């Protein structure tokens, strides 16, 4: 893997993946900062491969109906609802 | 409200009449859900978010008779080391004028330091309880991962973070830990602490006779001279009380801060994807399709540090970079864990300065995120290893700035670090 060449296009692409519509001046500022920060992350190249802790176990509970939020409570923080459902913008 | 901006919301929540915390106030960090009382996470995104339920720790506070005087100011979503990134304005350090209170639980530490709350809850993802405790001259405990329920804590990096107490003394912090610790059916990562004999508060007996302390030299290298001097003075104090210390080496910690940021940012990019302005969060009512509307709302609702971390996390997880950053960071995490386990085989606790620097001047670190990230070098390894740690006041620099001493214990060794810490505060 070559060194990360962070340019404004790449920051714009990542912002697009992360669904954050950055302003032009933010793109410019982030590009410079990302060069420094990712450069610092390069130190991880020196980390030896290490065995991970294998003492993990799944925690299961019985699949039973339990008390939960009411529909009204679940919807109370939505800016737009209709007929007991969240209302959002068009998907595409 | 306070003149140092410690509270985001000062709405009082009354607890039960009786209980171990009856008559005492416990301020709660604003990323911990309180039923019917807004919980902003220091973000414009959640400006008017009102949770329909209590976090488990809040339920336990109420059952224990505590009064919650308000929700404390914090770095947005817990992302910061100075409590300057809140959408509700920065918090000032009530005990060091012109300086930051540390972050991200800066409001919680500030209200305790100023005496505006008896106790407080913070959350610690990479040092967010210990750093402000150190900078404000109070006590903070980051519990072992799984000791305290995270149900109702708005997630930032859930494999690393724990809720914990902030208090004026070790004993008071331990009393609060007694109330909030223990398994919770709503959080499957919680577990019963083994050998749960006696209360945490009972362990605050100040008895360090025969205690063996390991000092990781790597965590002193590069620290501010004044801080190191204050640290050694506190160690001499412990030695005078019967403890002994020896140097230990943790080569892995040299890479911990980078590993921490890669993992935390990656988890943040995933956890914060829920803020889309549809189920909750600011919607802005934008035109366009889902993705455009979503991206507009997030641009407006998130502050700069949050956007920076979400983007870097997205980058670290993206195709082509996953092995380079995320996988390597997980290797570093396993290495850090091994190193700590080995060091703690020959020592009861490990000691270091909590922060390598005294409280920064306000505004100093905002322009340079990397420098701010590197200030977390001594606290982040503990989160990577899922271990408990306490920060206790070690004294002051020549300029009168508070310095914290960090004690790290083995998993579920809260009593050990509480006992050791109580010899100092």
């Amino acid at each position: 893997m070559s060194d990360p060449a962070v340019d404004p296009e790449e920051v714009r692409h990542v912002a697009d993946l992360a669904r954050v519509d950055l302003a032009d001046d933010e793109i410019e500022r982030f590009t410079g900062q990302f060069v420094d920060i990712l450069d610092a992350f390069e130190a991880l190249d020196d980390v030896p491969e290490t065995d991970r802790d294998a003492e993990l176990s799944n925690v299961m509970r019985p699949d039973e109906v339990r008390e939960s939020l009411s529909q009204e409570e679940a919807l109370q923080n939505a800016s737009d609802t209709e007929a007991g459902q969240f209302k959002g913008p068009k998907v595409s | 409200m306070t003149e140092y901006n410690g509270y985001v919301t000062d709405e009082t929540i009354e607890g039960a009449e009786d209980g171990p915390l009856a008559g005492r106030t416990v301020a709660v960090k604003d990323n911990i859900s309180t039923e019917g009382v807004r919980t902003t996470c220091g973000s414009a995104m959640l400006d008017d978010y009102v949770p329909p339920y209590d976090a488990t720790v809040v339920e336990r506070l109420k059952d224990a008779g505590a009064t919650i005087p308000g929700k404390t100011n914090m770095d947005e979503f817990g992302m910061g080391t100075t409590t300057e990134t809140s959408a509700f304005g920065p918090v000032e350090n009530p005990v060091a004028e012109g300086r930051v209170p540390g972050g991200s639980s800066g409001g919680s530490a500030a209200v305790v330091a100023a005496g505006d709350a008896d106790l407080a809850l913070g959350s610690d993802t990479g040092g967010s309880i210990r750093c402000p405790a150190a900078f404000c001259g109070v006590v903070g405990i980051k519990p072992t991962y799984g000791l305290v329920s995270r149900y109702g804590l708005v997630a930032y990096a859930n494999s690393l973070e724990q809720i914990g107490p902030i208090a004026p003394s070790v004993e008071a912090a331990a009393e609060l830990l007694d109330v909030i610790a223990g398994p919770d059916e709503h959080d499957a990562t919680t577990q019963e602490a083994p050998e749960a004999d006696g209360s945490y508060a009972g362990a605050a007996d100040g008895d360090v006779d025969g205690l063996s302390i390991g000092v990781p030299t790597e965590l002193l290298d590069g620290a501010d001279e004044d801080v190191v001097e204050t640290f050694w003075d506190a160690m001499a104090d412990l030695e005078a009380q019967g403890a002994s210390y020896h140097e230990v080496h943790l080569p892995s910690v040299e890479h911990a801060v980078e590993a921490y940021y890669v993992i935390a940012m990656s988890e943040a990019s995933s956890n914060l994807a829920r803020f889309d302005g549809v189920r909750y969060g600011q919607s802005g009512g934008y035109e366009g399709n889902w993705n455009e509307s979503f991206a507009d709302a997030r641009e407006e609702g998130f502050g700069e540090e949050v956007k920076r971390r979400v983007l870097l996390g997205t980058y670290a997880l993206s195709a082509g970079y996953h092995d380079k950053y995320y996988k390597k960071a997980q290797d570093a995490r396993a290495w850090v864990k091994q190193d700590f386990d080995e060091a703690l085989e020959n020592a009861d606790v490990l000691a270091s300065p909590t922060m390598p620097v005294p409280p920064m001047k306000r505004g100093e670190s905002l322009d340079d995120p990397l420098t701010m990230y590197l200030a977390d070098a001594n606290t982040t390894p503990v989160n990577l290893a899922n271990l408990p740690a306490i920060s206790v006041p070690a004294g002051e620099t020549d300029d009168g700035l508070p310095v914290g001493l960090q004690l790290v214990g083995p998993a579920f060794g809260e009593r050990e670090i509480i006992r050791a810490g109580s010899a100092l505060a």
Side-chain angles (χ1 to χ4, degrees):
Chain A
M1 185 79 56
S2 61
D3 286 348
V6 190
D7 56 33
E9 249 347 276
E10 194 153 16
V11 173
R12 212 179 293 275
H13 173 64
V14 173
D16 202 38
L17 292 175
R19 309 278 185 268
V20 181
D21 181 30
L22 293 183
D24 288 345
D25 63 322
E26 276 178 308
I27 302 244
E28 198 185 317
R29 200 156 57 244
F30 281 175
T31 304
Q33 290 169 351
F34 285 12
V35 170
D36 290 346
I37 295 167
L38 293 170
D39 190 48
F41 289 173
E42 296 277 309
L44 292 171
D45 284 345
D46 303 333
V47 172
E49 212 164 298
T50 309
D51 283 339
R52 313 277 165 82
D53 192 349
E55 292 167 42
L56 296 173
S57 60
N58 279 325
V59 178
M60 304 292 211
R61 66 168 172 84
D63 184 19
E64 290 164 354
V65 176
R66 302 197 299 182
E67 221 179 291
S68 67
L69 296 181
S70 67
Q71 194 168 8
E72 203 178 306
E73 286 169 333
L75 291 170
Q76 77 180 28
N77 282 287
S79 62
D80 209 359
T81 62
E82 191 175 303
Q85 297 180 359
F86 295 110
K87 193 174 171 187
K90 291 185 303 242
V91 171
S92 61
Chain B
M1 297 292 159
T2 56
E3 74 275 13
Y4 51 87
N5 203 22
Y7 288 108
V8 172
T9 301
D10 55 3
E11 200 170 323
T12 304
I13 304 169
E14 296 290 351
E17 277 188 19
D18 289 320
L21 295 178
R24 279 197 271 182
T25 53
V26 184
V28 172
K29 188 177 181 180
D30 209 27
N31 59 351
I32 298 173
S33 301
T34 40
E35 183 181 354
V37 175
R38 79 171 180 155
T39 298
T40 68
C41 295
S43 181
M45 181 64 90
L46 294 178
D47 194 11
D48 54 7
Y49 171 70
V50 178
Y53 67 101
D54 275 331
T56 298
V57 292
V58 169
E59 254 175 30
R60 291 183 180 177
L61 287 184
K62 287 159 79 172
D63 289 348
T67 299
I68 298 171
K71 306 296 291 293
T72 56
N73 207 348
M74 56 181 283
D75 279 306
E76 186 178 3
F77 286 105
M79 300 179 188
T81 305
T82 61
T83 311
E84 293 173 292
T85 71
S86 167
F88 303 93
V91 177
E92 294 178 55
N93 189 326
V95 300
E97 206 185 328
R99 306 271 169 167
V100 302
S104 66
S105 312
S108 288
V111 298
V112 170
D116 285 325
D118 298 323
L119 306 160
L121 289 183
S123 67
D124 190 311
T125 309
S128 282
I129 288 173
R130 290 160 285 158
C131 166
F135 281 4
C136 293
V138 294
V139 174
I141 300 175
K142 181 261 163 203
T144 307
Y145 189 79
L147 183 70
V148 176
S149 171
R150 282 176 295 108
Y151 179 71
L153 172 69
V154 180
Y156 150 31
N158 40 291
S159 83
L160 298 157
E161 61 205 0
Q162 277 285 286
I163 293 171
I166 294 174
S169 71
V170 173
E171 188 177 9
E175 283 172 46
L176 182 49
L177 185 61
D178 275 317
V179 167
I180 60 171
D184 174 22
E185 62 166 12
H186 292 300
D187 178 354
T189 65
T190 53
Q191 51 179 305
E192 190 78 62
E195 299 168 42
D197 266 359
S199 69
Y200 294 115
D205 57 14
D207 180 9
V208 290
D209 195 26
L211 184 82
S212 162
I213 306 173
V215 179
T217 48
E218 291 85 356
L219 300 185
L220 292 169
D221 290 348
D224 179 276
E225 217 173 281
D226 260 2
V227 168
V228 173
E229 205 174 297
T230 313
F231 167 77
W232 283 120
D233 285 348
M235 291 299 291
D237 188 354
L238 289 172
E239 202 180 16
Q241 297 182 57
S244 64
Y245 65 84
H246 60 276
E247 286 189 357
V248 295
H249 293 287
L250 303 173
S252 65
V253 302
E254 307 269 8
H255 302 286
V257 75
E258 290 85 5
Y260 163 77
Y261 275 100
V262 168
I263 292 170
M265 289 168 174
S266 297
E267 292 187 20
S269 73
S270 166
N271 279 320
L272 271 59
R274 75 191 66 183
F275 300 107
D276 55 8
V278 173
R279 290 160 300 163
Y280 30 67
Q282 296 296 331
S283 85
Y286 296 103
E287 295 294 318
N289 70 27
W290 179 290
N291 287 339
E292 289 162 4
S293 169
F294 192 174
D296 283 339
R298 287 156 66 82
E299 161 67 353
E300 194 173 294
F302 286 154
E304 185 151 320
E305 184 60 36
V306 171
K307 285 185 254 193
R308 187 154 42 231
R309 294 194 194 192
V310 165
L311 257 63
L312 282 163
T314 304
Y315 190 95
L317 291 176
S318 65
Y321 292 111
H322 177 276
D323 282 5
K324 182 175 176 60
Y325 297 114
Y326 189 74
K327 189 178 165 295
K328 278 284 168 195
Q330 293 290 12
D331 277 332
R333 183 171 192 169
W335 187 23
V336 168
K337 222 177 167 101
Q338 277 180 11
D339 257 5
F340 271 105
D341 287 348
E342 281 171 28
L344 285 163
E345 275 171 20
N346 299 310
D348 297 315
V349 297
L350 307 178
S352 74
T354 306
M355 298 298 291
V357 288
M360 294 83 114
K361 288 187 181 137
R362 286 184 54 199
E364 201 173 60
S365 62
L366 282 184
D367 295 332
D368 185 3
L370 183 59
T371 302
M372 186 179 76
Y373 299 164
L374 294 176
D376 296 340
N378 289 9
T379 51
T380 52
V382 176
N383 300 74
L384 290 171
N386 295 342
L387 297 176
I390 190 170
S391 177
V392 296
E396 289 178 353
T397 64
D398 293 341
D399 299 334
L401 299 171
V403 174
L405 179 136
Q406 171 177 252
L407 294 158
V408 184
F412 297 101
E414 271 76 5
R415 286 173 186 79
E416 282 297 303
I417 56 171
I418 285 167
R419 179 165 289 120
S422 66
L424 291 174

